[in-house]
Amino acid sequence: MVKMAANEEKQQGHRPGVYKQKNKGHKHGKHRTKGEIERENKGRVSVTTLTKKQRKELRKMDRRHKANQLRKTKKDQVLMEKRRLGSRDGPPHLVAVVSLHANADAGAVSKQLRGEGAGGVVHLERCVSGVGDSFGLIVPRFKQRFTFLNQSTDDMHSLLDVAKVADSLVFVLDSTEGWDTYGDHCLSCLFAQGLPSHALVCQGLSDISVKKRVDFRKALSKITEVRFPDSRLFPLDSDQDATLLLRHLGSQRQRKLGFRSRRSHLLAERVAFTPNGPMEGSGSGGPSGLGTLRVSGYVRGRALHANRLVHISGHGDFQLSQIDAPPDPLPLNLTTVRATKPGRGRDVEMQDGDESEAPVRVLMKADPSSRESLQVEAAVDPMDGEQTWPTEQELLDAEEARKNKRVMKVPKGTSDYQATWIIDEDEEEENGETDEESSDDDDGDDLMDEAMDGEDEENHSQETGSQAASEDEDDEEEEEDEVCSTERGGADQRYDDNMDEAAEEEGLKRYREARSHELFPDEVDTPLDAPARIRFQRYRGLKSFRSSPWDPMENLPLDYSRIFQFQSFERTRRRILAEAAADEDGAMDGWYVTLHIIDVPFSVMESVQSGKPLVLVSLLPHEQKMSVMHLLVQRHPSNTEPIKSKEELVFHCGFRRFRASPIFSQHTTADKHKMERFLRPDAPTVVSVYAPITFPPAGVLLFKQRNDGVQDLVATGSLLSCDPRRVVLKRIVLSGHPFKINRRSAVVRYMFFNRDDIMWFKPVELRTKWGRRGHIKDALGTHGHMKCVFDNQLRSQDTVLMNLYKRVYPRWTYDPYVPSQLPWFKKEVTIEIDDLDME
């Protein structure tokens, strides 16, 4: 028995106790095996393993095949879009002929292209409504159709509108100079807006001798390389050159413009206006009221839906009632084209009569329940927040108090309730600024302007005295040149007659303000006749402009109750653009349709009758609503005059054109942005303005209108975002002079002029121009002297500064109706002075 127990214990082995030492395993650098993991888990399965989808990892060859398929799909899609333009299934290739030089003749180019030797057949004359020199061209050889129109550069608005919808632009150059000054101005506007596919054309090279022809082409190519480095120059002097140009236009690569490829747009080819009856619509009937505008044309871009709003460039937003599908006036039917080739003028009569006689199929009617609303502003309830309703006795008392109310001047920013607690005392008259907004703009140094004016007058008087002395010394020379001076005096008189003295004075004032702001940025003088705590009561100090908090919903103006805002503008933009790309309901791209636009003023028809093209675009959801839009622009090099904040400018933003008064601010990534008083020439600037919502991308152009109606290009850029919560802070700097210095402490004067102002602004931190920082310790006396302590030794040449901030907002001056502008070269005054014989 003892032997059997010993054998059994030997078979079982030794059993270690609870205090057995356990050493760490060797770290061999390898992962655990599947068996080890299963033994450790003991059958337990992770929840993520059960719920997560199994990912299929493709092999290397499969991944290569998949990439090739995606590449082939995208290539086929691009080729299909390219071949579809101008074909039977797509819209005609829209080509605008633009002359960039006064000596270049765009009409001669159109005449050469419509000639029988070019290989095309003119099917329609004046196919674009409002444009006299336009025609439809069918080229059986290429199986393509074109629409050509000559667009004059006299009206910049019409030129930009046509360039927004044109598939190609043909620039006509001069054979020696290329383009002139105004042509370069037009190119600047087109490049900033977004230039579509283009071609450069030159006439007159065949008249030059063969030996000099190569030199002329090289010189012209060198000129065009500045703007068009990769473009080819096409001579157009023969039918063969015209055929070559048509082939190039039909096969060239199309440049996609983001703001038009995501929206449905249309160039009006036929326009008709029917006034509303006395009982229909809101119009009173007749030319002065509203009516229904029937616009026919080819749909381009995306599908056009009847429930969406349409925007007519320069006139506003409108609703559709229905979409019709009339017969295509420019069919690509080769048998019909060959049969009608001898009589090309036959189709001119079809423009008015045959369309109404042909059967018209209704594609879609707008649903009033799901149609987009024309609501531009948010509904504001003036009684919102009121809890009680006044009684009749209270209304009578208020009316009696209003009649007996005495007008009393109160500090700026004081409410009616606070004004009732102010004791009526005789106060000194303030300066003439009563408008709060204008005073906010004119916080600059008025005393400095007066001093500069005095210096200019003194210098002018000295110059006048010296000139008189010199005239007394040179009396004999004046008698000899009396005839010459008389002629010069006449020229000077003519020059003065054409000068606008008010504009000169305004320009001088703006120049001095910009120069003062450049030398002393944001510095203002504390007023002597008003307490600083009242004059600057809307300002506050910040410990750090970068990290100090500022509530974006604090003390918002009343205009903010009229606008719309998004919780996430970028997320909404991506969703709406994706839905618009997937929407295939409505009139498809390339269809010839007739749009019935309701409640349109007769001024739109008058614009068409005056010879201006009519451009329509279908708006995306929310694009008719007002909000705060931010545009990132760069000042144009051609502009040299200072542009002040809150000055009225003309905007071209995508398809929209409007006037507004913006504010300028720095382009940073912080949560607060410093306002710029003037448009900076050396850095990009953010322009904030009340305007309808537009989803980027979109090009932006800013024009400034002169008193004579000419508009100058001042800035170009792109649409940035829509964010009413963007905080723009205006900074003012109060400056003081160190009077007595004792190491780190100093007595500062000329910043304030009474003890109460010093105690009011005591918590605000001070800084100096040489980098010292400090704070106000105490007030000395009652005349504005204060004791300040700094972090280091203060120099006597240094200047003590205090930064104050307040939030600013743009002005609500949005106006969608912009008048046409005249070309600036026709407004310039040229005075010819005959050569004078000085012998």
Side-chain angles (χ1 to χ4, degrees), residues 117 159 218 283 379 427 531-532 658 667 790:
L159 175 62
K218 287 183 179 180
E427 298 180 353
F658 56 89
H667 180 47
F790 297 90

Side-chain angles (χ1 to χ4, degrees), residues 384-395:
D384 188 16
E386 295 290 336
Q387 299 179 355
T388 59
W389 188 259
T391 62
E392 296 183 0
Q393 184 62 31
E394 291 175 347
L395 292 175

Side-chain angles (χ1 to χ4, degrees), residues 556-581:
L556 296 177
L558 184 61
D559 291 336
Y560 263 51
S561 62
R562 304 163 58 184
I563 65 174
F564 295 85
Q565 61 178 337
F566 302 96
Q567 290 184 352
S568 176
F569 176 74
E570 184 61 26
R571 183 172 65 245
T572 305
R573 184 188 75 90
R574 289 196 299 265
R575 177 181 58 83
I576 288 179
L577 293 181
E579 292 176 354

Side-chain angles (χ1 to χ4, degrees), residues 680-737:
R680 296 185 58 181
D682 56 345
T685 307
V686 177
V687 178
S688 303
V689 64
Y690 289 115
I693 297 170
T694 304
F695 294 105
V700 173
L701 288 84
L702 271 65
F703 292 88
K704 181 182 177 183
Q705 186 167 347
R706 304 181 195 169
N707 297 330
D708 53 4
V710 178
Q711 297 176 5
D712 299 324
L713 180 65
V714 297
T716 60
S718 60
L719 184 60
L720 183 61
S721 66
C722 169
D723 185 14
R725 298 170 64 93
R726 190 177 194 269
V727 178
V728 179
L729 299 182
K730 178 180 180 180
R731 184 185 73 173
I732 62 171
V733 179
L734 305 181
S735 59
H737 176 66

